[in-house]
Amino acid sequence: IYGQSGTGKSLLAHEFGKHVLSHGGVLLSGKFDQLEQGKPFSALASAFNQYCGILLQNCELAPSKQKLAHQINHVLGREAHHLAKLIPNLATILGMELNSIIHDEGCSNAQNRLQYLLCRFVEVISSTFAAPVTLCL
């Protein structure tokens, strides 16, 4: 959603989100923060981290959290640690410690890899919960 500040973008996303949730969908939302411009995919990371945080906080969602962890490990394997660097709550779900995650920032293909992994992450969320995923940024 694009527009000048104060034009109702957040309200629009919130109202649209009610519709998505009422029809069994998964809603992920994040905002672009000018202070986070140096971080790649910061709005996506924020949305995914918020979603993973909900899974961590809600005891009733423990089976969903375990199912997600299993699917992420199955689909992404060792590559999951790249997403865990970007999404701290995912690291917790996967049982990874953030300080033990290897930072190999020298990869010239890092942006393409992250983009691919983020797309796979959305696919895993959608297939794990058999629900359409809507992303509002």
Side-chain angles (χ1 to χ4, degrees), residues 90-131:
L90 178 62
T92 304
I93 288 172
L94 297 176
M96 297 177 175
E97 293 191 29
L98 288 175
N99 57 3
S100 69
I101 296 174
I102 301 167
H103 293 275
D104 55 350
E105 303 301 329
C107 179
S108 61
N109 214 14
Q111 184 173 349
N112 290 338
R113 178 182 53 213
L114 274 177
Q115 191 171 358
Y116 170 78
L117 292 172
L118 288 166
C119 288
R120 294 301 310 259
F121 183 61
V122 171
E123 289 173 9
V124 168
I125 292 171
S126 182
S127 66
T128 300
F129 302 110

Side-chain angles (χ1 to χ4, degrees), residues 1-126:
I1 300 173
Y2 175 77
Q4 295 181 358
S5 61
T7 57
K9 297 180 302 293
S10 295
L11 178 62
L12 175 65
H14 180 73
E15 292 300 316
F16 181 69
K18 287 180 189 177
H19 178 74
V20 169
L21 295 172
S22 71
H23 287 83
V26 175
L27 176 69
L28 307 175
S29 64
K31 284 188 171 190
F32 290 98
D33 185 351
Q34 287 186 345
L35 299 176
E36 296 288 327
Q37 283 182 345
K39 272 178 90 174
F41 305 106
S42 63
L44 287 170
S46 170
F48 294 143
N49 197 51
Q50 179 184 24
Y51 176 73
C52 290
I54 291 168
L55 290 177
L56 287 170
Q57 292 173 358
N58 192 332
C59 294
E60 294 174 8
L61 296 175
S64 297
K65 178 181 72 171
Q66 292 168 346
K67 189 175 181 181
L68 179 66
H70 173 76
Q71 284 299 106
I72 291 288
N73 284 319
H74 176 73
V75 172
L76 300 180
R78 295 184 314 168
E79 296 291 308
H81 82 277
H82 296 294
L83 278 184
K85 289 187 293 188
L86 197 62
I87 308 168
N89 284 330
L90 178 62
T92 304
I93 288 172
L94 297 176
M96 297 177 175
E97 293 191 29
L98 288 175
N99 57 3
S100 69
I101 296 174
I102 301 167
H103 293 275
D104 55 350
E105 303 301 329
C107 179
S108 61
N109 214 14
Q111 184 173 349
N112 290 338
R113 178 182 53 213
L114 274 177
Q115 191 171 358
Y116 170 78
L117 292 172
L118 288 166
C119 288
R120 294 301 310 259
F121 183 61
V122 171
E123 289 173 9
V124 168
I125 292 171
S126 182

